[in-house]
Amino acid sequence: MSAKPAIIGHTLGAVSLLKAASTVSLLTLASRVTGLARDLIMASMFGANALTDAFNVAFRIPNLFRRLFAEGAFSQAFVPVLAAAKAQHGEDATRELIHHVATVLAWALLVTCALGVLGAPLLVWLLASGLRQSPESFDAAVVMTRWMFPYIGFMSMVALSAGILNTWKRFAVPAATPVLLNFCMIGAAWWGAPFLAARGIEPIYAMAGGVVLGGVLQLGVQGPALWRMGLLPRIGLSVAAIRAAWADADVRRILRLMAPALLGVGVAQISLMINTQIASYLAPGSVTWLFYADRLMEFPTALLGVALGVVLTPALASARAAGDAQKYSAMLDWGLRIVVLLAVPCAIGLLTFAEPLVATLFHYGALKDRDVGQIALALSGYGAGLLGLVAIKVLAPVYYASQDIRTPVKIAVVVLVITQLFNLLLVPRMAHAGLALSIGLGALVNAAWLMGGLIRRGSYQPQPGWMRYGLQVLAASVLGVLLTGITPF
C-alpha cells in the first residue's frame, strides 16, 4: 500500500492541530491581555509593598492547590483516561465515567476546602513565614487565604469540565473562561477597593472577593456548554452513588495515575513554596516583583506551551490507543518545531527588552522606578529558561498521553534538587532575580531530560532537518534584535 495516503493524513492532522492550537492561543491571548490589564491596574493602585506581598501569597495558596487538583495531577490523569475510554468504549460508557469522576472529585474538594479555611494560618506560615516580620501583613494574608480558598473547588470543577470539552475537541470555551476571572479582579480593583477604603477597610481585601467571584462565573459558563452536548456531570449525593463512583475501574485508574502525578506537581509546587519562602525574607516587595515578572512570562508559556499541550494531549492519547506510533511521533515533532519557532525569538526579545517592556507596562501610579528595575531583573532570569518552560508544556503531556506519569515525576524530583543548588549559588549574589534564573535553568534541564527519555525509548524519532531549522530560527531572531539597534543582553 502506498505511503501517500498516510502522508496526506498526517498533513491534514497537523493542519487540524494547528487550527485548534491557534484557536486556543488566540483565546488565551485575550485572557492574558485582560490579565495584564488587571496587573497594571493593581500595580498602579497598590504598588509593591508588604500588603501586596500578603495578597500575592494568599492568592498563591489556592492556586497551589488548584494546580494539584485542576491543571495538575487531576487533568494529567483524567484527560488520557477519558480520551482512551471514548476511543475504546464509546460515548455512553464515557458519560458514566464522567458522572463517577465528578462525584468523587466534588466530595474530595468539599473536604479540602473546609480544611483549607480552618488551616489558613498554618498554610501562610508554610508558604511565607517571612511575612511575620510585619504582623499586619501576615494577618492580612490569613484573612485573604480564608476568603479565597473556595476558589479551589470552583476551579477544580472547571478543570473537569475543560477536560471533557477538550476531549470532544471543543477548545474555545475552556480557553476563553479565564477572561472572567480577570474582569472580576479588574472590577474589584476599580470599584471594590475604593468602596472599602471609603469605609476604613484595607482596600486590598477587595481583590479576594474578585477572585472568588471569578471562580463562580468560570464554572457557570462551562455548565451550559456541557449541557448542550449532553455531557453535564451528575454529582452523586447518596452513599450508594458515592460507592458506585468509587468502585468504577476507570476512576480507580485515574486515582492510581494521580498518585505519581501529585508527587510530580507537588515537586513543582514545593519549588514555588521554597522560592516564595526565600523571597519573603528578602527586601519588602520581592514577592510582588517575582509575581509581576511571572505574570509577564505567562504570555509566551501560555500562548505557546499550554495551547499546544491542551491540543496535543487528547490527540496523542488517541494515537497511542489506536497503536499508531508513526502519527504519534509526527505530531510530537510538529509540536516541538512550533515551540522552537516561537519560543526562541521570544526568549531573545525578553533578554534584550526586559526593562523597556516592564517600564512601558507597569511604571504608573504607586509603582516606583526601583520596582521597575527589580521586576525587569526577574523577567530576564525567567527569559533565560523560556525555551525550557515552554517545551515542558509539550513534552510532559507526551508521557501523560501514554499514561506514564512516573518518569516526569522522577525527573522533576531531581530537577527540584538542581534548582535549589542554583538558588544556593545565585540568590546571595542576585537576590530575587537569582530565584527566577534558577527556575529558568532548571526548566532547561527538565526539558532536555524529558526529550532524551522519549528518544531513548523510541517514542519520538526526530524528523530530518532539525539542525538547519534551529540555526535558521536563531539567526533570524538575533538579526531581528540587531536591526533594532539595541545590544542584546
Side-chain angles (χ1 to χ4, degrees):
M1 184 176 177
S2 172
K4 187 174 180 180
I7 295 173
I8 294 173
H10 289 155
T11 302
L12 292 175
V15 171
S16 176
L17 287 172
L18 180 61
K19 181 179 179 181
S22 300
T23 299
V24 174
S25 289
L26 287 172
L27 292 171
T28 303
L29 176 61
S31 169
R32 292 302 181 255
V33 169
T34 54
L36 179 60
R38 175 197 82 192
D39 294 337
L40 294 178
I41 291 171
M42 287 185 62
S44 177
M45 293 186 65
F46 303 113
N49 50 57
L51 282 175
T52 59
D53 283 355
F55 170 76
N56 287 318
V57 167
F59 191 32
R60 278 185 177 178
I61 289 173
N63 274 319
L64 185 154
F65 283 90
R66 175 176 61 86
R67 286 167 182 160
L68 290 175
F69 280 103
E71 293 96 339
F74 172 72
S75 290
Q76 293 168 11
F78 174 61
V79 173
V81 172
L82 185 68
K86 181 173 179 285
Q88 296 171 358
H89 306 303
E91 295 195 3
D92 290 338
T94 307
R95 285 189 179 90
E96 192 66 22
L97 171 61
I98 290 170
H99 300 326
H100 288 165
V101 171
T103 298
V104 172
L105 180 63
W107 284 102
L109 290 170
L110 182 63
V111 174
T112 301
C113 289
L115 292 175
V117 171
L118 293 173
L122 176 61
L123 292 172
V124 172
W125 181 83
L126 288 172
L127 190 63
S129 61
L131 292 181
R132 283 192 175 275
Q133 298 173 106
S134 170
E136 179 189 9
S137 176
F138 185 87
D139 293 341
V142 171
V143 171
M144 287 186 282
T145 297
R146 283 180 166 149
W147 276 101
M148 287 190 284
F149 213 91
Y151 173 73
I152 301 166
F154 295 117
M155 292 309 299
S156 298
M157 297 307 292
V158 166
L160 171 70
S161 303
I164 299 167
L165 292 169
N166 289 335
T167 301
W168 265 259
K169 295 183 171 56
R170 304 292 196 275
F171 299 108
V173 172
T177 50
V179 172
L180 297 173
L181 172 65
N182 297 327
F183 283 151
C184 289
M185 293 183 71
I186 289 170
W190 203 264
W191 293 292
F195 178 83
L196 294 183
R199 285 153 181 78
I201 303 172
E202 176 54 51
I204 196 73
Y205 288 144
M207 303 309 302
V211 169
V212 175
L213 180 59
V216 173
L217 292 182
Q218 287 184 78
L219 182 58
V221 167
Q222 303 270 23
L226 292 171
W227 181 78
R228 286 192 296 270
M229 297 167 60
L231 296 170
L232 186 66
R234 292 196 307 267
I235 297 173
L237 302 178
S238 67
V239 174
I242 297 171
R243 285 177 176 172
W246 186 261
D248 189 308
D250 282 331
V251 171
R252 294 294 186 93
R253 183 176 297 109
I254 291 169
L255 292 173
R256 285 196 298 271
L257 290 171
M258 279 186 68
L262 279 169
L263 179 58
V265 178
V267 167
Q269 299 314 307
I270 288 170
S271 179
L272 175 63
M273 289 174 64
I274 293 172
N275 285 355
T276 305
Q277 190 73 261
I278 295 171
S280 72
Y281 283 95
L282 300 176
S286 295
V287 174
T288 303
W289 297 330
L290 284 167
F291 174 80
Y292 286 135
D294 181 70
R295 293 296 301 166
L296 289 175
M297 278 300 298
E298 285 190 6
F299 265 89
T301 55
L303 293 176
L304 309 180
V306 174
L308 285 169
V310 164
V311 171
L312 281 172
T313 299
L316 289 169
S318 296
R320 174 65 70 180
D324 192 340
Q326 185 179 359
K327 181 179 179 182
Y328 186 91
S329 180
M331 283 191 294
L332 176 56
D333 191 83
W334 170 84
L336 291 173
R337 286 177 186 263
I338 296 296
V339 166
V340 170
L341 176 65
L342 300 178
V344 171
C346 286
I348 293 176
L350 283 176
L351 290 170
T352 307
F353 304 112
E355 189 159 351
L357 175 63
V358 174
T360 302
L361 294 174
F362 286 105
H363 200 188
Y364 304 98
L367 207 73
K368 304 296 189 290
D369 294 351
R370 177 170 179 265
D371 298 324
V372 169
Q374 299 302 324
I375 296 169
L377 285 173
L379 183 59
S380 297
Y382 285 130
L386 177 62
L387 181 61
L389 291 167
V390 174
I392 289 169
K393 303 293 185 182
V394 173
L395 292 167
V398 177
Y399 288 87
Y400 308 147
S402 303
Q403 299 187 23
D404 174 13
I405 298 179
R406 294 181 182 276
T407 301
V409 169
K410 293 176 182 176
I411 294 172
V413 170
V414 178
V415 170
L416 171 63
V417 175
I418 293 172
T419 301
Q420 299 316 310
L421 292 175
F422 282 138
N423 279 340
L424 288 174
L425 177 66
L426 297 174
V427 172
R429 295 168 174 79
M430 302 173 63
H432 72 289
L435 293 169
L437 181 56
S438 296
I439 291 174
L441 295 175
L444 290 172
V445 174
N446 197 333
W449 202 334
L450 289 169
M451 168 80 79
L454 291 171
I455 293 174
R456 283 193 303 272
R457 66 172 55 178
S459 299
Y460 171 50
Q461 298 177 354
Q463 300 297 306
W466 258 106
M467 180 65 73
R468 180 181 178 185
Y469 179 78
L471 290 174
Q472 287 175 331
V473 172
L474 180 62
S477 303
V478 173
L479 180 61
V481 171
L482 292 176
L483 290 175
T484 66
I486 299 177
T487 303
F489 323 126

